[in-house]
């Protein structure tokens, strides 16, 4: 919660030659002028020359809207359910992040996370030392812990001014960089806009291919290109600017489901489309199939769980105050329940046995996912450095001491051997008691790898990238990629 800002003391006009009446009138006029400075008024957005200008205009159009903790989002101001000065029941407002979310989404269609994380590979980061490079529309981040752990955000308006919702009792208004630096440490900014007023896809950098070390010294085969196939998306194409966050296989390996951070679903191959998330206050972070393959779960960063098909709701952390955001989930085939895991390794069990967590440990790197073991009801957690934490599941090894080209993003279990594969964001795969069938570690990818899934009919796995690209290895088949909407 940003600190509260004190009020400005009114100045009084001086001069013994003024009559009491005149001095009183002047004092009242001055107080009115100062109040007009302190309270922003509603401004209508003007014509914008660039997307950045349009983002500024979208934020400026909300001037004077109340500050409401947990209020607001991509669709505008709302009540967050927190009663505080300036925002009681029925009052619609923004907090700092939701104002930035709203302004960016109105122009680019990009949905920014609200949990302190950032979209992988989306936008241009501007270092805190490069304030001279800031352009109107850039999202600024403050707090001193980096842009992934910020305490405050705003929209840079140019001329060292920022539109923001700074705190309780202070409506949306402009503040100078100097003013904000008196409250927070500046963490940098991210530019989501392009130079035109028409949204265009963010250019994807072409990484220099470097080999990813794997524990098994087997040459990495390059997957043979497969003709594109179509996925079923009855509710429409994925929104422009969204990113894929996960993949889940069907039981017979005849298809898979792909989910993006907005909760939209693409059902590929023989996967059945059973619906998608209509609305979520927090970004979607993962997907898991039911044990019989007749449905799927979708989980958000606040631990909200959405069920589709024959998936049964057993509970969620959506109404809890979490220390860290949820990053993944796994389904317990034995009980039919599921586990959620947070980035600090805290595990939440719902109609599934709680077998332990790393929530009380100091980790070298954050946990990025989990997988259910096929030896009963155990599970593994994986950290971004490849560290593996086993809970009632066999430990086959880890990559925690390996020098990595890219951080790990997930893991999948080999149904044949009971071992597992770890996958990095460049698609490099490390195998432990599982056959290494290949990777994308030496391929120039259009988007980073964000997830993996394994099939139950043999030894194989798939990787999915943020842009929806699917790479299949071993006995896994290719059944298509999702369609994304074009820029408006």
């Amino acid at each position: 919660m940003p600190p509260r800002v004190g009020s400005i003391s009114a100045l009084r006009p001086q001069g013994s030659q003024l009559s009491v009446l005149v001095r009183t009138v002047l004092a009242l006029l001055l107080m009115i002028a100062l109040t007009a400075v302190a309270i922003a008024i509603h401004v209508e957005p003007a014509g914008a020359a660039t997307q950045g200008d349009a983002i500024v205009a979208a934020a400026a159009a909300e001037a004077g809207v109340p500050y409401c903790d947990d209020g607001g989002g991509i669709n505008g101001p709302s009540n967050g359910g927190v009663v505080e000065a300036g925002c009681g029941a029925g009052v619609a407002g923004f907090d700092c992040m939701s104002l930035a979310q709203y302004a960016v989404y109105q122009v680019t269609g990009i949905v920014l996370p609200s949990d302190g994380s950032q979209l992988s590979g989306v936008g241009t980061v501007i270092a805190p030392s490069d304030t001279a490079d800031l352009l109107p529309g850039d999202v600024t981040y403050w707090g001193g812990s980096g842009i992934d752990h910020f305490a405050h955000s705003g929209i840079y308006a140019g001329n060292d001014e920022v539109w923001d919702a700074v705190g309780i009792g202070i409506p949306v208004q402009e503040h100078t960089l100097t003013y904000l630096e008196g409250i927070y440490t500046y963490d940098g900014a991210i530019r989501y806009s392009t130079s035109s007023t028409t949204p265009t896809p963010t250019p994807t950098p072409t990484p220099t291919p470097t080999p990813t070390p794997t524990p098994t010294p087997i040459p990495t085969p390059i997957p043979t290109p497969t003709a594109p196939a179509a996925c079923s998306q009855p509710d429409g194409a994925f929104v422009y600017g969204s990113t894929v966050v996960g993949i889940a296989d069907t039981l017979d390996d005849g298809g898979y489901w792909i989910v993006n951070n907005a909760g939209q679903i693409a059902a590929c191959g023989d996967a059945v489309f059973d619906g998608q998330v209509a609305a979520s206050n927090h970004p979607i972070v993962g997907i898991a199939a039911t044990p019989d393959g007749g449905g799927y779960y979708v989980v958000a960063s606040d631990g909200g769980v959405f069920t589709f098909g024959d998936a049964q709701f057993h509970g969620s952390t959506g109404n809890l105050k979490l220390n860290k955001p949820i990053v993944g989930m796994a389904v317990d085939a034995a009980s039919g329940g599921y586990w959620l895991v947070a980035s600090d390794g805290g595990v939440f069990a719902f109609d599934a046995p709680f077998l332990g967590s790393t929530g009380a440990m100091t980790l070298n790197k954050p946990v990025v996912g989990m997988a259910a073991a096929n030896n009963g009801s155990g599970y593994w957690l994986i950290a971004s450095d490849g560290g593996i934490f086993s809970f009632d599941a066999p430990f086959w090894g880890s990559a925690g001491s390996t020098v990595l080209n890219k951080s790990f993003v997930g893991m999948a279990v080999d149904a044949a051997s009971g071992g597992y594969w770890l996958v990095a964001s460049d698609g490099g795969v490390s195998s432990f008691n599982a056959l290494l069938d290949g990777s994308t570690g030496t391929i120039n990818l259009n988007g980073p790898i964000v997830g993996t899934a394994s099939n139950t009919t043999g030894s194989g796995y798939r990787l999915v990238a943020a842009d929806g690209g699917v790479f299949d290895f071993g006995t896994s088949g290719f059944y298509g990629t999702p369609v994304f909407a074009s820029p408006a």
Side-chain angles (χ1 to χ4, degrees):
M1 175 67 61
R4 303 186 182 185
V5 180
S7 61
I8 301 173
S9 297
L11 300 177
R12 300 172 183 265
Q14 303 297 314
S16 58
Q17 302 304 315
L18 296 174
S19 67
V20 173
L21 177 60
V22 172
R23 279 185 290 172
T24 301
V25 171
L26 289 176
L28 289 172
L29 290 174
L30 185 54
M31 289 175 67
I32 292 170
L34 286 170
T35 301
V37 172
I39 301 177
I41 59 172
H42 184 79
V43 238
E44 296 297 330
T50 66
Q51 279 194 354
D53 292 332
I55 291 172
V56 174
E62 302 305 311
V65 172
Y67 177 93
C68 286
D69 271 314
D70 296 332
I74 61 174
N75 297 315
S78 64
N79 187 277
V82 180
V83 178
E84 58 197 1
C87 187
V91 176
F94 288 102
D95 61 20
C96 65
M97 190 57 220
S98 64
L99 177 67
Q101 282 181 306
Y102 173 77
V104 170
Y105 179 78
Q106 297 309 303
V107 179
T108 68
I110 296 173
V111 180
L112 302 184
S114 59
D115 61 357
S117 64
Q118 299 295 344
L119 297 173
S120 176
V122 179
T124 301
V125 176
I126 301 162
S129 58
D130 297 334
T131 53
D133 295 334
L134 288 172
L135 293 177
D138 293 347
V139 181
T140 57
Y141 296 96
W142 309 76
S145 298
I147 57 175
D148 280 313
H149 305 283
F150 62 90
H152 182 62
S153 61
I155 300 296
Y156 184 68
N159 298 320
D160 291 340
E161 298 278 348
V162 175
W163 281 101
D164 64 357
V166 77
I168 297 172
I170 303 175
V172 174
Q173 57 186 270
E174 267 188 315
H175 291 109
T176 65
L177 291 176
T178 301
Y179 170 86
L180 291 172
E181 286 168 352
I183 306 174
Y184 304 103
T185 300
Y186 177 53
D187 287 331
I190 298 182
R191 181 171 303 144
Y192 298 100
S193 60
T194 65
S195 59
S196 68
T197 53
T198 302
T200 55
T202 303
T204 304
T206 302
T208 302
T210 53
T212 299
T214 59
T216 308
I218 300 175
T220 298
I222 297 177
T224 303
T226 309
C231 295
S232 174
Q233 297 175 249
D235 287 346
F238 285 3
V239 296
Y240 169 73
S242 66
T243 58
V244 166
V245 295
I247 186 170
D249 278 2
T250 58
L251 193 63
D252 64 353
D253 189 45
Y256 41 82
W257 296 276
I258 294 174
V259 64
N260 68 356
N261 58 351
Q264 294 177 288
I265 298 291
C268 309
D270 64 5
V272 176
F273 180 88
D274 286 314
Q276 63 185 27
V277 178
S280 176
N281 293 327
H282 297 266
I284 301 302
V285 296
I287 185 172
T290 58
D292 66 359
Y296 45 89
Y297 299 93
V298 173
V299 62
S301 64
D302 66 341
V305 175
F306 304 86
T307 59
F308 302 93
D310 66 1
Q312 299 296 309
F313 181 77
H314 299 285
S316 75
T317 64
N319 60 347
L320 299 179
K321 182 69 174 178
L322 302 176
N323 293 326
K324 293 292 181 180
I326 297 297
V327 294
M329 76 179 301
V331 177
D332 179 19
S335 68
Y338 45 78
W339 303 281
L340 309 183
V341 64
S343 64
D344 61 356
V347 174
F348 303 86
F350 297 93
D351 287 337
F354 175 78
L355 302 170
S357 75
T358 65
M361 297 172 58
T362 300
L363 304 178
N364 293 326
K365 293 292 181 179
V367 168
V368 294
M370 73 183 306
N374 61 355
N375 69 329
S377 60
Y379 49 81
W380 296 281
L381 309 183
I382 176 177
S384 65
D385 62 355
I388 296 293
F389 304 90
S390 300
F391 298 92
D392 199 28
F395 177 77
W396 299 113
S398 75
S401 60
T402 306
V403 177
L404 306 176
N405 293 324
K406 295 292 183 180
S407 297
F408 285 96
V409 296
M411 69 184 300
V413 180
D414 182 5
S417 68
Y420 43 76
W421 299 280
L422 314 183
V423 62
S425 63
D426 62 353
V429 176
S430 297
S431 60
F432 298 90
N433 196 44
L435 180 64
L436 180 65
D437 289 316
S439 76
T440 63
T442 59
I443 299 174
N444 292 336
L445 302 175
N446 292 326
I449 298 298
V450 295
T452 181
S454 57
N455 62 63
T456 59
T457 60
S459 180
Y461 48 88
R462 296 185 180 87
L463 313 181
V464 66
D467 63 351
V470 175
F471 304 87
D472 52 286
F473 300 93
T475 58
S476 292
F478 176 77
Y479 302 106
T481 60
V483 174
F484 285 78
S486 300

